[in-house]
Amino acid sequence: VNINLHFHFHLDTRTISGLVYLSIILGVVIYTLSVIGMNLFEPQYTKFYKDDLPRWNYSDFYHSFILLFRILCGEWIELLYETLKATGQYYPVIFYLGSLVL
């Protein structure tokens, strides 16, 4: 019984250490895409929506980070529509689909 418990403990520690590295990489990717999204879409959002910004937007890092997290969770259609409406162009489709694939 003791050997079995030791084996599972060793297996759990290796798995958790692998998940830590994966989480760090995912955090860096979300951070990078948030900054890119802020630089690409923030001027169009503030110009188009003026004082009535949508709840999730690219106006600051916090909202951009949460918006990217929502895209990765699969809730990206409404966000894409709002971004397309604000920019009036189709390049947000490439950004959103690229974020989703990544």
Side-chain angles (χ1 to χ4, degrees), residues 27-43 58 60-62 64-65 68 95:
V28 169
V29 167
I30 293 176
Y31 172 80
T32 305
L33 289 173
S34 298
V35 171
I36 291 171
M38 282 174 34
N39 288 323
L40 284 176
F41 305 125
E42 192 269 332
Y58 290 99
D60 58 359
F61 179 75
Y62 171 74
S64 181
F65 191 87
L68 259 295
F95 179 79

Side-chain angles (χ1 to χ4, degrees), residues 21-84:
Y21 292 126
L22 182 64
S23 299
I24 290 170
I25 291 171
L26 183 62
V28 169
V29 167
I30 293 176
Y31 172 80
T32 305
L33 289 173
S34 298
V35 171
I36 291 171
M38 282 174 34
N39 288 323
L40 284 176
F41 305 125
E42 192 269 332
Q44 288 92 354
Y45 261 83
T46 54
K47 182 179 175 185
F48 183 79
Y49 289 110
K50 294 187 175 51
D51 295 331
D52 192 26
L53 280 171
R55 181 174 184 178
W56 305 114
N57 55 61
Y58 290 99
S59 63
D60 58 359
F61 179 75
Y62 171 74
H63 286 98
S64 181
F65 191 87
I66 298 298
L67 196 141
L68 259 295
F69 184 77
R70 287 186 65 195
I71 290 171
L72 294 176
C73 288
E75 300 179 12
W76 58 279
I77 297 293
E78 177 186 350
L79 304 170
L80 175 63
Y81 178 71
E82 290 175 353
T83 308
L84 287 171

